[in-house]
Amino acid sequence: MIHLTNVTKMFDRFQAIRGVNMTVQKGRIYGLLGSNGAGKTTLLKMMAGIIRPDHGTVLIDGEEVWENPEIKQRILFLPDHVYFFPHTTIEQMAAFYESVYPSFQRERFTRLQELFLLDPRKKIHQFSKGMQRQAAFWLAFSTMPDVLIMDEPLDGLDAVVRQKVKNIIVQEVAEREMTVVISSHNLREMEDLCDCIGILHGGEMLFEKELDAMKTDIHKIQVAFRNGIPEQFAKQLDIVYKEQRGSVLLLIVRGAKQEIISYIQPFQPLIFDILPLTLEEIFIYEMGDVGYAIENIIV
Amino acid sequence: MPSKILSFNRGLFVQNLRSVSWIGIVHFLLWFAAIPLQLLMAYSQKEDGGIYLEWESLYSISATFQAMIAFTLPVLLATLLFRYMQGKQSVDFMHSLPVQRAELFCQQTVFGVMLIVMPIALISLLTAVCHYGLSFPMSLTFGDIIRWTWETTVMELFVFAASIFVGMMTGMSTLQVVFTYILLLFPAGITILVLANISFLLVGFPFEYYLSDNLEKIIPFLRYINLEATSLTVGELLAYLLLTILFLIFAIWLYQKRPSEAATQALAFPVLRPIFKYGVTFCTMLLGGLYFGVTQNQFAWILFGYIAFSLLGFFIAEMIIEKTWRVFYKWKGYVYFAAAMIVIGVLIHFDVTGYEKRLPALENIRQVYFGSSVYDFVENHKRPYVPFEQENQFLKEKENIRAVYAFHQQLVKDQPKPSRFTEQRQVVIGYVLKDGKRMIRQYNVPSDLYFSYYKPILESKEYKKNYYLLLRDQGYSPIRQVTFHHPETGERTLTIIEPKQIDSFVEALKADLLEEPASAMFDSSKVWKGDIEFLQSDGDTFILSWKKTYTHVEKWLNDHQLLEKARGDAE
C-alpha cells in the first residue's frame, strides 16, 4: 500500500506540490491524471524515492521510501524519458537489473522476448524512441516489482504494443497483486485500465475516487410529466446539474440507481430514462467550477 | 549502517568498468610516456653512444608534463564518475535504484581511487624495472621512485577529492571542472587580490611583506612542479591528506543533502547562489582594482576598475546562475553590494583603525629597519648570497633611530600617493620595539623631495659600514688582486697584485666610501667611471663601482702613475 500524507515540495520559489494526500491500495491500478505541470511527475518521483518531500511522509507498506533500499528493491520507476546507460545493450542492462533487484527473473526476461521482439544484443541507443520504451517495459516486467510506478508510459507506443503492455499490467495485477501507479494527461486511456483515479491540479489533489463507485453513484435522468413538473419533484434529489429542454427535464443526479427509480416512479412520469454517465461527463459535472480548468485532460 | 555503506555492488562496478575504466588506461599511458618511455629512450641513446640527460629525480624527467597529468586526469575522472548526477534522466535513474546515496558515493569514489592508484603503482614498478633492469648510470635511487610514487598519489587523490567536493555543489560537469581549478587557485588568488587592493587604498601598507614566498606553496600545481627541488614535508603531507579527507567527508554530506533536481543547474543548492554571486562580484572588483592599480596607479582609474569589473562580475555570475544572458533587470542585488562596498571603502578611506597614522613611541624603539625592500625585515630570513651593497639595514644608534623616525613622521604627515609621473623610490621603514613587537610600512616617494631625510641616514657611519661590503667588519677575506674594468667594454684596464699596493689602495678606497655623499649613493650611474673587482683569498670576488667622487682613489692612482692605465681610453 502506498500512502502519502500532507506532502509538499518547493522548487525554488515554485510550489510544485501542496499538501497532497493519496492512498493506493495493494493490487490496484491507480491513474494519476493532470494537465502538464500539475505535479504528476514530482509526485511519482517522491513515491520512487528520487525526490525527498519538503514536508509530509511518503510511505510504502508503512515505511519511508527515501534512502530505504529494502523498500526500493520492490519498486520500479519508469520515467517519461526512459534511461539506459550509454552504449549498452538490453542484455547488459538486464544483467545490471539482475544485480540490483533481487526479484529479477531471468526466465521471465527470456520469455518476454517473444512478446517484444527486440534484439537484446543490439545497443539500445540505436533503437527508435518507441522501441526504447518497449525495452524499458521489458526490463521492468522482468524485474517483477511489487510496485510499478510509471510516468506517462503509453505515450509514443503504437496501438498493438499499447494493448500488449496493458494486458501484461492487468495480468500482473491479477496474478500477484502488483500495485501500479500510472500518470497520464488522457482520461480515456485510463478509463479501461484503472481501478482508481486521482486528479492533480496546480500541485493539489482535487479529487480521488474508485471508478466503479463513481459510475454507480451518478446518473443522468430524462423525465417529462403530463402536467408540468410537480412542485415536490426535485426536492428530495441530490441534483448536480439541471436543464429544461422543452417539456423534458434533464438532470444529473447523485445516488443509487434503485433509490432514484423508486423515488421517481410515484410521480408517474410520462418519459423516464435513467442512463449511466461517461467518465468525461462525470468529471465535468463532479468537479463543477474547477472542471473547466481540467477540461484538456478529459477531452 | 556502515556495513551497508561499504557493501559492494557488482552491477555498478561492471557499469563503471565499462564506462569509466578507459580513463585508467589513459592515465597509465600518459604516465608511461612521461617516465618509463623517457628512460627507455635515454637508454637507447646511451647504447648508441648518443647524448642523454642525467636526471636527478623522476620529476626532472618531465616536471611540467607530470604536473599536467596530475592536475587534469583526476578532475576528468571525478567528473565522469559523478557525471550521472549532472543529467536529469541519469540522476533519476540512479537514485531510483535500491542503493543508498552514501553507498553510491563510496562505490564511485573507491573506483576512482583505484584508477588513480593502480596506474601510478604500475608505473613505479615499471620505472624500477627499467632503471635497475637496464642498469642505468644515473643517480636515480629506489628512494626517488618511492618518493615520486607517494607524492604523486597524494597529489592526485587531493585533486580528485577536491573535484568531487566541487561537483556536489554544481549540477553541470563543465562548471565542475572550472570550479575545481578555481578552488585550487582560490587561496593564493584571494590573498594577492586583497593585499594588492589594500595597498592601493592604505598608504604605507607593505604589500610585499605579507605576500610571502609561501604563496607559491599553496598553489598545488606549482607545488607539484617544485617537487623536483623540494620534497613534500611531513606537515605538507598531513595537510594534503587532511584536506583530501575533509573534501570527501563534506562531499558525502552535501550529496545526502543534494536534491536530485539539482542536475543541470549551475549551483546545486539555492543557499550557494548569493554566496557565489557576491563572491564573484567581490573578486572581479578586486581584479579590476588590481589591473588599473598596476597599469595606471591613479585613484580615479582604480575606482573605475572597481565599478566596471564588479558590474561585469555581478552580471556574469547572474548569467551563470540563471543560464541566460537576460539578467540585466536584476540590478537590485548590485545596489546592495555597492552600498556595502561603499561603507567598507569609506571605513578604509577614513582609516578607522588609524593604520596610516600609526607611529610607535620613540622611546619604545629598540632598532629601526630602513631600506628599499621589505624582504630583509622578515624574521629569520637569510639571503642566499652576500650583497656588495646592502641597502636594507637594521640600525641601532640613537641618531639613526631618530633620523628614520623623523622621516617616517614626515611620511605619515604627507601621506605620499604613488604616481607614475615623478621618479619614484620605494622606502621601507620598520621597527623592532623593546617588547619584541614589529611594525613595517612601505612608501613610494619622489626621491628628490625627500632627499634631505635620506641624507643623514645614508651618510651615517653605522649605515655606511653595513652598506659596503668593503667597510663591513670581517665582511671579506684578504684581497689578493684588484682589477679595474672599462665602463663600456668591460675589458680589464689595470690589475694590482702587489700586496702592499693592494693594502694602501683599499685604505684609499675605504676613505672615499666613508666620505661619499648620499647623492652619489643614491644614483651612482651619473658618476660612474668603471668597475673595480676584488679577488679574495677564498676565490670569491666582489665588485664596486668606481665613481668620480672617489678623490682618494684618484690620488692613489695618480701617485702610482696608474691613473691613465686604469682609465683605459675612457676619457
Side-chain angles (χ1 to χ4, degrees):
Chain A
M1 192 177 83
I2 305 172
H3 201 77
L4 274 69
T5 321
N6 201 17
V7 167
T8 57
K9 179 72 195 178
M10 289 270 275
F11 291 127
D12 269 330
R13 279 174 219 111
F14 171 66
Q15 182 97 39
I17 300 291
R18 308 159 183 265
V20 166
N21 293 300
M22 178 177 159
T23 308
V24 184
Q25 300 294 341
K26 187 174 163 67
R28 296 291 177 85
I29 304 178
Y30 188 105
L32 187 64
L33 287 163
S35 48
N36 295 332
K40 293 178 305 249
T41 303
T42 308
L43 210 55
L44 294 186
K45 283 184 184 171
M46 285 182 188
M47 289 178 221
I50 296 167
I51 290 179
R52 187 182 206 171
D54 295 341
H55 300 286
T57 49
V58 180
L59 305 178
I60 291 186
D61 290 344
E63 282 193 59
E64 264 310 335
V65 181
W66 178 258
E67 288 277 77
N68 188 341
E70 279 81 19
I71 290 291
K72 284 168 94 178
Q73 275 177 353
R74 298 168 42 210
I75 309 174
L76 201 106
F77 174 62
L78 206 67
D80 50 350
H81 297 283
V82 292
Y83 176 82
F84 306 97
F85 291 127
H87 311 293
T88 44
T89 63
I90 297 178
E91 186 60 58
Q92 288 167 338
M93 280 309 287
F96 178 77
Y97 273 72
E98 196 172 5
S99 76
V100 175
Y101 294 100
S103 56
F104 188 92
Q105 286 200 1
R106 232 332 123 168
E107 315 94 81
R108 191 171 164 79
F109 175 76
T110 323
R111 240 184 307 127
L112 282 171
Q113 187 177 357
E114 293 162 28
L115 219 68
F116 287 106
L117 303 168
L118 296 169
D119 181 356
R121 275 171 295 277
K122 218 173 146 189
K123 287 202 171 164
I124 302 175
H125 289 83
Q126 293 166 350
F127 289 150
S128 77
K129 239 180 159 182
M131 286 160 88
Q132 287 188 10
R133 191 165 275 280
Q134 286 186 54
F137 272 116
W138 184 359
L139 291 166
F141 291 136
S142 309
T143 305
M144 313 263 300
D146 290 345
V147 177
L148 181 60
I149 300 166
M150 297 183 280
D151 195 3
E152 313 214 342
L154 301 169
D155 285 14
L157 294 181
D158 63 49
V160 178
V161 177
R162 204 177 274 234
Q163 202 47 55
K164 266 190 220 169
V165 167
K166 280 185 180 180
N167 288 345
I168 300 176
I169 292 172
V170 171
Q171 208 180 331
E172 290 275 285
V173 171
E175 275 173 18
R176 49 180 201 92
E177 288 210 293
M178 180 170 76
T179 310
V180 179
V181 183
I182 302 183
S183 80
S184 176
H185 52 257
N186 192 330
L187 179 65
R188 268 186 209 153
E189 196 169 67
M190 296 292 104
E191 198 172 343
D192 57 335
L193 188 65
C194 299
D195 307 315
C196 192
I197 292 276
I199 293 188
L200 202 61
H201 181 69
E204 281 174 287
M205 188 64 88
L206 290 185
F207 180 92
E208 203 182 16
K209 249 186 188 153
E210 303 268 331
L211 273 188
D212 288 346
M214 227 152 78
K215 282 187 179 168
T216 53
D217 206 38
I218 193 160
H219 305 277
K220 192 193 271 181
I221 298 167
Q222 295 191 68
V223 280
F225 298 92
R226 192 156 303 167
N227 304 317
I229 303 155
E231 233 172 75
Q232 295 301 311
F233 177 67
K235 289 217 170 136
Q236 296 292 312
L237 288 172
D238 184 2
I239 297 169
V240 179
Y241 181 81
K242 185 177 181 180
E243 191 184 320
Q244 186 121 24
R245 291 180 185 164
S247 57
V248 177
L249 184 66
L250 179 95
L251 294 172
I252 308 286
V253 177
R254 275 204 198 94
K257 191 173 177 181
Q258 215 44 56
E259 278 172 30
I260 296 168
I261 294 171
S262 49
Y263 173 76
I264 293 175
Q265 287 298 0
F267 290 97
Q268 293 180 326
L270 199 59
I271 306 169
F272 174 40
D273 296 319
I274 182 158
L275 309 160
L277 267 75
T278 65
L279 207 52
E280 292 170 31
E281 286 172 316
I282 296 174
F283 279 112
I284 288 174
Y285 295 123
E286 278 274 355
M287 316 239 331
D289 287 347
V290 284
Y292 73 94
I294 55 155
E295 242 171 310
N296 53 342
I297 311 169
I298 293 158
V299 180
Chain B
M1 283 186 286
S3 62
K4 191 82 204 134
I5 288 169
L6 292 172
S7 78
F8 166 81
N9 192 305
R10 196 174 47 83
L12 287 171
F13 180 79
V14 170
Q15 178 50 34
N16 277 334
L17 217 53
R18 203 177 282 142
S19 60
V20 192
S21 58
W22 62 271
I23 296 266
I25 297 167
V26 171
H27 191 206
F28 172 79
L29 289 177
L30 283 172
W31 278 121
F32 184 79
I35 296 171
L37 188 68
Q38 302 295 327
L39 286 175
L40 290 174
M41 292 197 291
Y43 176 73
S44 74
Q45 285 294 329
K46 188 197 105 183
E47 288 297 286
D48 277 0
I51 301 162
Y52 64 96
L53 292 166
E54 284 275 349
W55 291 307
E56 301 205 336
S57 75
L58 290 191
Y59 297 105
S60 42
I61 296 175
S62 51
T64 319
F65 181 44
Q66 292 184 25
M68 272 157 69
I69 300 172
F71 283 83
T72 50
L73 249 290
V75 176
L76 189 64
L77 190 58
T79 315
L80 282 178
L81 277 170
F82 288 92
R83 177 93 185 95
Y84 72 85
M85 281 191 327
Q86 324 291 36
K88 279 191 173 169
Q89 287 154 41
S90 49
V91 77
D92 286 350
F93 176 76
M94 294 299 275
H95 287 170
S96 77
L97 298 175
V99 180
Q100 279 190 333
R101 289 185 175 209
E103 191 188 336
L104 202 55
F105 179 91
C106 289
Q107 182 114 12
Q108 298 305 91
T109 306
V110 167
F111 196 84
V113 169
M114 217 175 70
L115 292 194
I116 285 174
V117 173
M118 281 186 356
I120 293 178
L122 212 57
I123 288 296
S124 55
L125 199 72
L126 272 177
T127 306
V129 167
C130 283
H131 184 54
Y132 291 102
L134 301 174
S135 64
F136 258 101
M138 272 188 205
S139 52
L140 286 181
T141 63
F142 195 63
D144 283 325
I145 298 173
I146 296 291
R147 174 165 94 86
W148 175 86
T149 309
W150 72 258
E151 282 175 347
T152 303
T153 309
V154 165
M155 277 288 188
E156 288 206 1
L157 289 178
F158 165 73
V159 177
F160 178 63
S163 192
I164 293 177
F165 168 68
V166 167
M168 291 303 156
M169 291 188 283
T170 175
M172 293 162 77
S173 292
T174 38
L175 286 182
Q176 184 178 354
V177 174
V178 173
F179 288 164
T180 302
Y181 291 115
I182 289 178
L183 176 71
L184 294 179
L185 289 175
F186 185 75
I190 194 74
T191 312
I192 293 173
L193 284 176
V194 168
L195 290 179
N197 279 282
I198 290 178
S199 77
F200 296 143
L201 298 178
L202 276 186
V203 176
F205 184 78
F207 169 53
E208 284 144 1
Y209 178 66
Y210 295 109
L211 194 77
S212 59
D213 45 12
N214 286 330
L215 209 57
E216 126 179 1
K217 284 193 189 146
I218 61 172
I219 302 176
F221 184 78
L222 293 181
R223 185 65 191 92
Y224 189 88
I225 291 181
N226 204 32
L227 284 176
E228 190 182 346
T230 42
S231 122
L232 282 185
T233 63
V234 177
E236 280 178 312
L237 170 70
L238 289 178
Y240 276 110
L241 285 178
L242 187 71
L243 280 172
T244 305
I245 290 165
L246 283 180
F247 278 144
L248 290 178
I249 288 173
F250 276 113
I252 203 165
W253 181 73
L254 286 172
Y255 186 40
Q256 280 170 330
K257 298 234 170 290
R258 180 185 160 110
S260 292
E261 63 269 20
T264 76
Q265 300 208 359
L267 298 169
F269 298 94
V271 260
L272 289 176
R273 277 177 216 164
I275 298 172
F276 175 74
K277 185 160 70 181
Y278 294 114
V280 169
T281 312
F282 184 69
C283 289
T284 49
M285 178 185 81
L286 295 184
L287 189 69
L290 179 66
Y291 174 77
F292 286 101
V294 169
T295 57
Q296 299 302 118
N297 214 346
Q298 283 172 304
F299 186 69
W301 275 113
I302 292 174
L303 200 63
F304 169 78
Y306 285 154
I307 296 169
F309 274 63
S310 61
L311 271 171
L312 199 70
F314 179 80
F315 285 115
I316 287 175
E318 278 283 21
M319 284 176 202
I320 292 172
I321 292 171
E322 304 285 332
K323 295 210 284 181
T324 170
W325 51 267
R326 277 169 292 181
V327 293
F328 294 102
Y329 64 95
K330 292 200 163 193
W331 47 268
K332 270 191 195 142
Y334 185 78
V335 174
Y336 302 137
F337 175 82
M341 287 305 115
I342 287 168
V343 171
I344 292 173
V346 165
L347 290 181
I348 293 175
H349 182 73
F350 287 109
D351 190 22
V352 279
T353 62
Y355 186 90
E356 291 177 330
K357 301 277 177 204
R358 196 169 303 149
L359 273 169
L362 185 59
E363 62 272 16
N364 288 340
I365 299 170
R366 192 195 299 153
Q367 52 179 339
V368 292
Y369 173 86
F370 183 80
S372 62
S373 148
V374 295
Y375 294 114
D376 293 297
F377 189 68
V378 180
E379 263 174 299
N380 303 322
H381 183 277
K382 285 219 165 57
R383 280 184 187 257
Y385 57 90
V386 181
F388 307 149
E389 292 168 9
Q390 177 56 279
E391 267 190 280
N392 310 310
Q393 295 182 26
F394 284 100
L395 303 170
K396 292 192 185 81
E397 272 176 21
K398 277 231 166 85
E399 285 289 303
N400 277 327
I401 291 177
R402 233 175 264 134
V404 170
Y405 193 76
F407 194 171
H408 193 189
Q409 272 180 320
Q410 189 59 38
L411 289 169
V412 164
K413 203 175 137 210
D414 294 350
Q415 296 284 307
K417 295 251 178 353
S419 155
R420 290 197 304 144
F421 303 109
T422 56
E423 200 184 316
Q424 297 274 309
R425 208 178 163 88
Q426 184 161 289
V427 54
V428 175
I429 293 172
Y431 302 98
V432 178
L433 303 182
K434 284 183 178 147
D435 58 5
K437 281 189 186 143
R438 296 160 84 87
M439 170 178 160
I440 183 168
R441 294 291 184 271
Q442 171 184 331
Y443 300 90
N444 278 301
V445 297
S447 44
D448 299 348
L449 251 109
Y450 288 90
F451 183 71
S452 60
Y453 289 96
Y454 272 106
K455 194 171 158 65
I457 304 164
L458 262 52
E459 289 180 359
S460 75
K461 206 175 168 195
E462 187 191 13
Y463 184 84
K464 210 168 247 177
K465 277 195 80 173
N466 261 317
Y467 186 79
Y468 285 114
L469 184 66
L470 201 64
L471 296 181
R472 236 168 279 164
D473 299 327
Q474 283 132 18
Y476 57 94
S477 312
I479 287 159
R480 295 279 180 260
Q481 181 182 290
V482 176
T483 317
F484 280 73
H485 288 277
H486 192 272
E488 276 149 30
T489 60
E491 280 168 25
R492 293 170 177 217
T493 50
L494 170 67
T495 306
I496 309 166
I497 44 169
E498 169 62 38
K500 270 190 182 162
Q501 278 194 349
I502 289 175
D503 284 347
S504 62
F505 172 77
V506 167
E507 284 314 308
L509 181 56
K510 278 184 176 175
D512 274 333
L513 293 177
L514 283 170
E515 285 168 23
E516 185 180 13
S519 59
M521 291 162 77
F522 236 45
D523 189 358
S524 55
S525 62
K526 282 182 196 157
V527 289
W528 182 55
K529 278 173 91 173
D531 286 325
I532 312 170
E533 186 188 335
F534 300 86
L535 176 69
Q536 302 168 66
S537 59
D538 59 6
D540 281 349
T541 60
F542 64 92
I543 294 169
L544 281 178
S545 299
W546 178 21
K547 295 176 189 168
K548 281 182 186 163
T549 48
Y550 294 170
T551 49
H552 293 278
V553 169
E554 198 113 359
K555 184 168 177 296
W556 187 91
L557 288 171
N558 210 13
D559 290 349
H560 292 77
Q561 278 101 47
L562 292 168
L563 187 57
E564 293 290 307
K565 208 177 168 206
R567 274 182 193 156
D569 44 358
E571 286 172 55

